[in-house]
Amino acid sequence: MATVLKPLPPQPVARLRLAPRSPFPRPIDGAWWPRSRDLLVELPLLLGALPAAWGQIAGITVNTSMWFSGPGRMLVAGHVVRLHRTEGSHGRHTICLISPGHGRWDLLVVPPEVDAADAEPLMAAAAAATAH
């Protein structure tokens, strides 16, 4: 008897808009709009959507008020990513990604409960941010 395999449902795609490459540092390098406040679910999608030129992300800093609590590190695509948490209002809506030997990138985080009509302009503005 033959077994009929059903196709797997499509994996969610990270909602991410990145600023064009620039030789100059930027205050914000783009925007990310996660679907939840669960880093264990959201970070693998984000990291999988980043450009290969950014290298392997080894450290991530997030604000504790934006995310559910979680571990201090996690395994993503076979490598350990260290999660650092900060408190206070500074950086509440950003995530900082560190790739040793490649650089640092700061992304605006659009809260997951924001609707598409409000999220899209925020993401477009962050991706169009000019270097200082």
Side-chain angles (χ1 to χ4, degrees):
M1 178 174 217
T3 302
V4 177
L5 298 176
K6 294 181 182 179
L8 294 173
Q11 291 287 65
V13 177
R15 299 181 293 189
L16 179 67
R17 300 273 300 267
L18 300 177
R21 292 184 76 177
S22 171
F24 305 105
R26 303 173 185 275
I28 293 291
D29 298 293
W32 175 45
W33 183 24
R35 288 176 174 80
S36 75
R37 291 182 182 266
D38 186 346
L39 286 172
L40 295 175
V41 171
E42 299 297 336
L43 281 180
L45 294 172
L46 171 63
L47 297 183
L50 296 176
W54 286 22
Q56 185 175 348
I57 302 299
I60 297 175
T61 301
V62 297
N63 191 285
T64 57
S65 64
M66 182 77 173
W67 302 98
F68 298 147
S69 63
R73 61 184 165 210
M74 61 187 285
L75 191 63
V76 177
H79 71 275
V80 174
V81 177
R82 296 197 181 279
L83 299 176
H84 307 278
R85 296 177 183 276
T86 63
E87 294 182 11
S89 61
H90 179 71
R92 180 168 187 241
H93 292 285
T94 61
I95 184 170
C96 175
L97 308 169
I98 303 291
S99 176
H102 287 86
R104 167 191 169 147
W105 295 272
D106 293 283
L107 300 176
L108 170 74
V109 178
V110 177
E113 56 276 356
V114 171
D115 64 39
D118 293 329
E120 289 299 330
L122 289 171
M123 294 182 68
T130 58
H132 286 201

PDB file of all heavy atoms in Angstrom, residues 56-72:
ATOM      1  N   GLN A  56      27.847  35.297  10.420  1.00  0.00           N
ATOM      2  CA  GLN A  56      27.131  34.525  11.446  1.00  0.00           C
ATOM      3  C   GLN A  56      26.882  35.410  12.660  1.00  0.00           C
ATOM      4  O   GLN A  56      27.812  35.889  13.296  1.00  0.00           O
ATOM      5  CB  GLN A  56      27.971  33.315  11.836  1.00  0.00           C
ATOM      6  CG  GLN A  56      27.295  32.389  12.776  1.00  0.00           C
ATOM      7  CD  GLN A  56      28.150  31.147  13.011  1.00  0.00           C
ATOM      8  OE1 GLN A  56      29.119  30.880  12.321  1.00  0.00           O
ATOM      9  NE2 GLN A  56      27.771  30.379  14.004  1.00  0.00           N
ATOM     10  N   ILE A  57      25.630  35.638  12.972  1.00  0.00           N
ATOM     11  CA  ILE A  57      25.273  36.466  14.128  1.00  0.00           C
ATOM     12  C   ILE A  57      25.554  35.654  15.390  1.00  0.00           C
ATOM     13  O   ILE A  57      25.030  34.558  15.566  1.00  0.00           O
ATOM     14  CB  ILE A  57      23.794  36.901  14.076  1.00  0.00           C
ATOM     15  CG1 ILE A  57      23.496  37.678  12.779  1.00  0.00           C
ATOM     16  CG2 ILE A  57      23.427  37.705  15.318  1.00  0.00           C
ATOM     17  CD1 ILE A  57      24.275  38.952  12.592  1.00  0.00           C
ATOM     18  N   ALA A  58      26.393  36.220  16.274  1.00  0.00           N
ATOM     19  CA  ALA A  58      26.777  35.517  17.495  1.00  0.00           C
ATOM     20  C   ALA A  58      26.167  36.141  18.741  1.00  0.00           C
ATOM     21  O   ALA A  58      26.055  35.485  19.774  1.00  0.00           O
ATOM     22  CB  ALA A  58      28.296  35.483  17.627  1.00  0.00           C
ATOM     23  N   GLY A  59      25.766  37.411  18.653  1.00  0.00           N
ATOM     24  CA  GLY A  59      25.197  38.089  19.806  1.00  0.00           C
ATOM     25  C   GLY A  59      24.041  38.983  19.409  1.00  0.00           C
ATOM     26  O   GLY A  59      24.077  39.615  18.352  1.00  0.00           O
ATOM     27  N   ILE A  60      23.025  38.998  20.239  1.00  0.00           N
ATOM     28  CA  ILE A  60      21.840  39.812  19.988  1.00  0.00           C
ATOM     29  C   ILE A  60      21.465  40.509  21.283  1.00  0.00           C
ATOM     30  O   ILE A  60      21.423  39.882  22.335  1.00  0.00           O
ATOM     31  CB  ILE A  60      20.667  38.940  19.491  1.00  0.00           C
ATOM     32  CG1 ILE A  60      21.032  38.300  18.154  1.00  0.00           C
ATOM     33  CG2 ILE A  60      19.388  39.754  19.388  1.00  0.00           C
ATOM     34  CD1 ILE A  60      20.009  37.327  17.626  1.00  0.00           C
ATOM     35  N   THR A  61      21.198  41.811  21.199  1.00  0.00           N
ATOM     36  CA  THR A  61      20.741  42.563  22.365  1.00  0.00           C
ATOM     37  C   THR A  61      19.322  43.030  22.116  1.00  0.00           C
ATOM     38  O   THR A  61      19.035  43.619  21.072  1.00  0.00           O
ATOM     39  CB  THR A  61      21.660  43.777  22.636  1.00  0.00           C
ATOM     40  OG1 THR A  61      22.990  43.304  22.846  1.00  0.00           O
ATOM     41  CG2 THR A  61      21.196  44.543  23.870  1.00  0.00           C
ATOM     42  N   VAL A  62      18.448  42.748  23.083  1.00  0.00           N
ATOM     43  CA  VAL A  62      17.044  43.149  23.009  1.00  0.00           C
ATOM     44  C   VAL A  62      16.639  43.791  24.329  1.00  0.00           C
ATOM     45  O   VAL A  62      17.302  43.614  25.352  1.00  0.00           O
ATOM     46  CB  VAL A  62      16.109  41.951  22.709  1.00  0.00           C
ATOM     47  CG1 VAL A  62      16.414  41.339  21.353  1.00  0.00           C
ATOM     48  CG2 VAL A  62      16.189  40.899  23.802  1.00  0.00           C
ATOM     49  N   ASN A  63      15.538  44.513  24.303  1.00  0.00           N
ATOM     50  CA  ASN A  63      15.007  45.135  25.506  1.00  0.00           C
ATOM     51  C   ASN A  63      14.038  44.174  26.180  1.00  0.00           C
ATOM     52  O   ASN A  63      13.186  43.580  25.517  1.00  0.00           O
ATOM     53  CB  ASN A  63      14.304  46.451  25.145  1.00  0.00           C
ATOM     54  CG  ASN A  63      13.965  47.260  26.356  1.00  0.00           C
ATOM     55  OD1 ASN A  63      13.032  46.942  27.076  1.00  0.00           O
ATOM     56  ND2 ASN A  63      14.730  48.313  26.582  1.00  0.00           N
ATOM     57  N   THR A  64      14.160  44.032  27.500  1.00  0.00           N
ATOM     58  CA  THR A  64      13.319  43.080  28.232  1.00  0.00           C
ATOM     59  C   THR A  64      11.835  43.408  28.153  1.00  0.00           C
ATOM     60  O   THR A  64      10.995  42.511  28.206  1.00  0.00           O
ATOM     61  CB  THR A  64      13.724  43.010  29.719  1.00  0.00           C
ATOM     62  OG1 THR A  64      13.649  44.319  30.270  1.00  0.00           O
ATOM     63  CG2 THR A  64      15.104  42.459  29.890  1.00  0.00           C
ATOM     64  N   SER A  65      11.487  44.689  28.009  1.00  0.00           N
ATOM     65  CA  SER A  65      10.068  45.056  27.988  1.00  0.00           C
ATOM     66  C   SER A  65       9.381  44.666  26.679  1.00  0.00           C
ATOM     67  O   SER A  65       8.159  44.634  26.615  1.00  0.00           O
ATOM     68  CB  SER A  65       9.916  46.556  28.232  1.00  0.00           C
ATOM     69  OG  SER A  65      10.519  47.285  27.188  1.00  0.00           O
ATOM     70  N   MET A  66      10.141  44.361  25.656  1.00  0.00           N
ATOM     71  CA  MET A  66       9.564  44.054  24.349  1.00  0.00           C
ATOM     72  C   MET A  66       9.306  42.557  24.157  1.00  0.00           C
ATOM     73  O   MET A  66       8.480  42.179  23.342  1.00  0.00           O
ATOM     74  CB  MET A  66      10.524  44.561  23.266  1.00  0.00           C
ATOM     75  CG  MET A  66      10.070  44.364  21.869  1.00  0.00           C
ATOM     76  SD  MET A  66       8.835  45.583  21.424  1.00  0.00           S
ATOM     77  CE  MET A  66       8.667  45.220  19.705  1.00  0.00           C
ATOM     78  N   TRP A  67      10.011  41.709  24.911  1.00  0.00           N
ATOM     79  CA  TRP A  67       9.998  40.274  24.637  1.00  0.00           C
ATOM     80  C   TRP A  67       9.639  39.458  25.866  1.00  0.00           C
ATOM     81  O   TRP A  67       9.953  39.835  26.983  1.00  0.00           O
ATOM     82  CB  TRP A  67      11.383  39.837  24.142  1.00  0.00           C
ATOM     83  CG  TRP A  67      11.767  40.585  22.922  1.00  0.00           C
ATOM     84  CD1 TRP A  67      12.573  41.692  22.869  1.00  0.00           C
ATOM     85  CD2 TRP A  67      11.338  40.340  21.597  1.00  0.00           C
ATOM     86  NE1 TRP A  67      12.673  42.125  21.577  1.00  0.00           N
ATOM     87  CE2 TRP A  67      11.928  41.318  20.775  1.00  0.00           C
ATOM     88  CE3 TRP A  67      10.518  39.383  21.014  1.00  0.00           C
ATOM     89  CZ2 TRP A  67      11.708  41.362  19.408  1.00  0.00           C
ATOM     90  CZ3 TRP A  67      10.303  39.428  19.646  1.00  0.00           C
ATOM     91  CH2 TRP A  67      10.906  40.405  18.865  1.00  0.00           C
ATOM     92  N   PHE A  68       9.056  38.272  25.625  1.00  0.00           N
ATOM     93  CA  PHE A  68       8.843  37.306  26.694  1.00  0.00           C
ATOM     94  C   PHE A  68      10.217  36.869  27.192  1.00  0.00           C
ATOM     95  O   PHE A  68      11.182  36.883  26.448  1.00  0.00           O
ATOM     96  CB  PHE A  68       8.079  36.080  26.201  1.00  0.00           C
ATOM     97  CG  PHE A  68       6.694  36.366  25.693  1.00  0.00           C
ATOM     98  CD1 PHE A  68       6.157  35.615  24.661  1.00  0.00           C
ATOM     99  CD2 PHE A  68       5.914  37.372  26.228  1.00  0.00           C
ATOM    100  CE1 PHE A  68       4.875  35.849  24.186  1.00  0.00           C
ATOM    101  CE2 PHE A  68       4.635  37.619  25.766  1.00  0.00           C
ATOM    102  CZ  PHE A  68       4.123  36.855  24.743  1.00  0.00           C
ATOM    103  N   SER A  69      10.303  36.451  28.442  1.00  0.00           N
ATOM    104  CA  SER A  69      11.590  35.990  28.966  1.00  0.00           C
ATOM    105  C   SER A  69      11.997  34.714  28.247  1.00  0.00           C
ATOM    106  O   SER A  69      11.174  33.988  27.697  1.00  0.00           O
ATOM    107  CB  SER A  69      11.504  35.768  30.466  1.00  0.00           C
ATOM    108  OG  SER A  69      10.568  34.755  30.739  1.00  0.00           O
ATOM    109  N   GLY A  70      13.280  34.476  28.248  1.00  0.00           N
ATOM    110  CA  GLY A  70      13.801  33.295  27.565  1.00  0.00           C
ATOM    111  C   GLY A  70      15.229  33.041  27.993  1.00  0.00           C
ATOM    112  O   GLY A  70      15.749  33.699  28.901  1.00  0.00           O
ATOM    113  N   PRO A  71      15.884  32.108  27.346  1.00  0.00           N
ATOM    114  CA  PRO A  71      17.239  31.734  27.731  1.00  0.00           C
ATOM    115  C   PRO A  71      18.262  32.821  27.379  1.00  0.00           C
ATOM    116  O   PRO A  71      17.979  33.718  26.592  1.00  0.00           O
ATOM    117  CB  PRO A  71      17.488  30.467  26.913  1.00  0.00           C
ATOM    118  CG  PRO A  71      16.646  30.654  25.697  1.00  0.00           C
ATOM    119  CD  PRO A  71      15.408  31.378  26.184  1.00  0.00           C
ATOM    120  N   GLY A  72      19.440  32.695  27.935  1.00  0.00           N
ATOM    121  CA  GLY A  72      20.527  33.626  27.652  1.00  0.00           C
ATOM    122  C   GLY A  72      21.266  33.282  26.377  1.00  0.00           C
ATOM    123  O   GLY A  72      22.077  34.059  25.889  1.00  0.00           O
TER     124      GLY A  72
END
